[in-house]
Amino acid sequence: MRPAHLLLLIGSLAGPVLAEESVSVAVASNFSRTFGELADRFSAETGIAIRTTTGSTGKLYAQIVNGAPFDVFLAADADRPKLLEESGRAAPGARFTYASGRLVLWSRDAKDCVDALRTSRWVALANPQTAPYGRAAREFLENAGHWEEVSGRVAYAETVMQVVQFVASGNAGVGFVAESLLNGPHMPAGACTWPVPPQSHSPLEQQAVLLAAAADDGRAVRLIEFLQSNAAIDIIVRHGYGDMR
């Protein structure tokens, strides 16, 4: 076989293999925009492609438990990564906190977010059963004595990103969102933003795990190492999360 033909054959065989050489990452919806920048930076530096699936932490966790072929899980809480580690579905010793989230009350139209909490026809929050930011919002409402007043007017969203959509569209007058989402390029201007006191709810400690099936995958390990680097943390902080160094 002539060299040119040999190169063509190698190229045809390598194409599908290279297409599969990527890291599959499950990402909590609040972190999707931030992770997009991180993934671009990582791929540019390493040549390793990233495939991202976003959703609520609870639903992504359920997919992993049911065998979804993810390599890395970036959750919006610490509970589910710990459960994965304890059940042997995550590599031991590879769990770490990559971000500290902040909860805010946000409205597109109201001038006073706290007043809007009392007067809006609908108050949006993510499902507390599957979304940690929704759980934190409900904890705040309960601890502040607002839950009984608000519970009949709650519009539940699947994710905190969907809360933004509810409020931006006017379907809800006010909603509980992640502070990190407020500076997105397509985020509509808000009339008011009110930081929810962090002591009024459980900490929004967001943890990552390397899943057991990818424990020996050098590409996934490199991503885990990158996410703990100063360069990655600088990006995470710039997007509105706490500095975990």
Side-chain angles (χ1 to χ4, degrees), residues 19-210:
E20 295 175 0
E21 287 186 350
S22 59
V23 180
S24 179
V25 186
V27 183
S29 64
N30 76 90
F31 199 68
S32 59
R33 184 174 65 89
T34 306
F35 185 70
E37 183 174 343
L38 291 166
D40 288 345
R41 173 77 173 265
F42 175 77
S43 295
E45 292 181 356
T46 65
I48 299 170
I50 300 291
R51 289 184 292 114
T52 304
T53 300
T54 63
S56 69
T57 290
K59 290 199 171 183
L60 292 172
Y61 170 79
Q63 290 177 32
I64 292 167
V65 169
N66 286 308
F70 297 121
D71 301 315
V72 174
F73 179 32
L74 301 182
D77 66 6
D79 298 338
R80 292 175 180 90
K82 184 179 180 182
L83 288 172
L84 292 172
E85 188 178 59
E86 291 174 345
S87 67
R89 292 183 173 90
R95 177 167 56 93
F96 67 98
T97 300
Y98 67 89
S100 175
R102 298 165 179 155
L103 182 69
V104 298
L105 193 59
W106 176 74
S107 175
R108 185 173 183 178
D109 302 312
K111 300 299 183 183
D112 185 326
C113 281
V114 176
D115 182 64
L117 187 62
R118 295 191 295 267
T119 60
S120 293
R121 176 67 185 89
W122 294 108
V123 176
L125 62 139
N127 184 348
Q129 300 301 316
T130 57
Y133 280 80
R135 182 175 62 192
R138 175 158 181 167
E139 287 177 356
F140 159 71
L141 290 170
E142 291 175 338
N143 292 333
H146 297 314
W147 179 247
E148 185 175 348
E149 173 193 0
V150 171
S151 59
R153 298 183 285 116
V154 169
Y156 288 110
E158 183 173 324
T159 67
V160 71
M161 281 291 294
Q162 194 174 53
V163 172
V164 172
Q165 295 169 11
F166 282 5
V167 178
S169 66
N171 289 322
V174 67
F176 290 90
V177 304
E179 181 183 1
S180 58
L181 298 177
L182 297 181
N183 297 321
H186 304 296
M187 186 75 174
C192 70
T193 302
W194 184 73
V196 176
Q199 66 273 18
S200 67
H201 59 79
S202 300
L204 286 162
E205 181 181 4
Q206 303 194 193
Q207 289 197 342
V209 285
L210 174 67

